Amino acid sequence: MNSIMCVGALVLLALPTATSLRLTTITDVQCAGSGDLCSGDQCCPGYEGSDFLTFPCPTATAGFDQCQTIIRYPYEPESDDTVSAVGDPHVTSITGEKFDLWRTGWSTFVQIPKDVATHLQPKLLVTGNVEPYGDEKCAPAYLKEVMLRGTLMGHHHVLVRSGSLEGPAPFGVSVNYSSFEQIWNANGTDFVSTPHLILRGKITEDEPGVWGPDAKLSMKVGDIVFRVKQHTEGRFLESRSMLDLSVTGLDKIESVGGWLGAHGHLDAGTPPAGCSGTGIALLRGVRGQSFKSQ
């Protein structure tokens, strides 16, 4: 009887230890930058903090070396102070000025430096094409296209267009006036990888239940990082896509013009008579500036 009880005691002591080890092994954790889930010997997708190189999952074994770098990056949740467009969207420039943006068509979002002679190229110029979301007078607006060029990019020219991934003219990237190229690999498509510019796109589902899987683009120009994220309403020919633009690293630049820079509310326009609020949001948070279509 005593020996049986002893064996039983050993079993009871061993089971919790074995179960704990097994659960630790299969538990998913989040990757730095993307927030993607990973477990064990897997690679996390690259982001600006890893120079866009894939890196080991935080729970990978010590000798795992199958990623583009062996450096490990801890996941850091975004601060509660991260800005989002809620209610009546507005603009907050790098000077702290707040205003609504009503102007549609092509306009300058970022220009470095703020003032450039007409015969010279800016170091960096980011323009966007904003269009009304509908025919109604007070319809919200959305960002349809984004263009980037400048000497900081090694004189590259990049044009990003919105478009449903299921439509005849899907989300695409044109580099140096080439034909639009799609994101052919959902886990990551490299459009440009040079010392001056890193341009990478992928398909993600960041808000399950709110938005379906859609295109996301990261562009790194020196210490400045641009992110373009697409949201699509509807399916196929009935769909309509819009872009969100966010920027980090502008606080390190002395002279920045455009909506997100020191130009602020100049030529921002005024709402039509009888309209209040706006569907356009340009916001600056702890991590940088952003444009979010509503």
Side-chain angles (χ1 to χ4, degrees):
M1 178 67 71
N2 289 339
S3 62
I4 294 175
M5 291 181 64
C6 181
V7 171
L10 288 174
V11 171
L12 290 174
L13 288 173
L15 278 176
T17 303
T19 302
S20 175
L21 290 173
R22 180 173 60 83
L23 290 175
T24 300
T25 301
I26 65 173
T27 298
D28 288 334
V29 295
Q30 288 184 280
C31 295
S34 66
D36 291 359
L37 295 178
C38 67
S39 177
D41 290 346
Q42 296 179 345
C43 295
C44 289
Y47 72 112
E48 64 271 15
S50 68
D51 289 329
F52 295 94
L53 300 176
T54 59
F55 56 94
C57 177
T59 57
T61 56
F64 182 63
D65 61 356
Q66 299 303 304
C67 307
Q68 293 174 315
T69 178
I70 61 173
I71 299 175
R72 302 192 181 210
Y73 299 88
Y75 173 73
E76 297 179 358
E78 290 190 354
S79 166
D80 291 338
D81 294 330
T82 301
V83 174
S84 61
V86 178
D88 183 10
H90 58 274
V91 178
T92 303
S93 71
I94 59 174
T95 64
E97 181 185 13
K98 297 182 179 182
F99 57 94
D100 290 336
L101 176 62
W102 285 93
R103 180 177 176 179
T104 56
W106 283 94
S107 57
T108 300
F109 284 74
V110 176
Q111 179 174 290
I112 301 174
K114 181 172 71 71
D115 300 306
V116 181
T118 55
H119 65 285
L120 297 176
Q121 279 199 49
K123 293 182 178 180
L124 184 63
L125 178 66
V126 181
T127 58
N129 184 19
V130 176
E131 293 191 353
Y133 196 71
D135 297 329
E136 296 81 5
K137 180 179 68 173
C138 300
Y142 69 102
L143 184 59
K144 183 179 180 180
E145 299 168 286
V146 177
M147 188 277 293
L148 301 93
R149 64 179 176 88
T151 58
L152 289 179
M153 296 171 54
H155 297 280
H156 284 294
H157 178 282
V158 175
L159 178 63
V160 182
R161 75 175 182 195
S162 61
S164 169
L165 301 182
E166 301 171 320
F171 180 95
V173 179
S174 168
V175 179
N176 299 330
Y177 307 97
S178 67
S179 300
F180 282 100
E181 183 179 351
Q182 301 177 41
I183 299 175
W184 55 268
N185 185 343
N187 294 320
T189 296
D190 292 320
F191 296 100
V192 180
S193 182
T194 71
H196 302 285
L197 173 66
I198 298 175
L199 182 59
R200 182 178 176 84
K202 63 179 181 177
I203 308 298
T204 65
E205 187 174 9
D206 296 339
E207 301 174 76
V210 180
W211 300 98
D214 219 326
K216 179 192 289 185
L217 195 68
S218 296
M219 296 170 279
K220 188 174 187 293
V221 183
D223 292 329
I224 305 172
V225 176
F226 297 89
R227 295 184 184 87
V228 177
K229 182 189 295 186
Q230 177 170 275
H231 297 299
T232 302
E233 293 183 344
R235 299 289 304 276
F236 303 105
L237 296 179
E238 301 299 323
S239 64
R240 182 174 293 176
S241 298
M242 60 199 77
L243 303 176
D244 289 345
L245 170 65
S246 63
V247 189
T248 58
L250 292 182
D251 54 339
K252 302 176 183 179
I253 309 297
E254 291 185 4
S255 177
V256 182
W259 298 119
L260 297 177
H263 285 141
H265 72 282
L266 298 177
D267 296 324
T270 57
C275 299
S276 61
T278 174
I280 302 176
L282 285 170
L283 303 171
R284 179 176 185 268
V286 173
R287 296 175 180 267
Q289 294 72 45
S290 65
F291 175 102
K292 187 169 184 179
S293 301
Q294 283 292 94

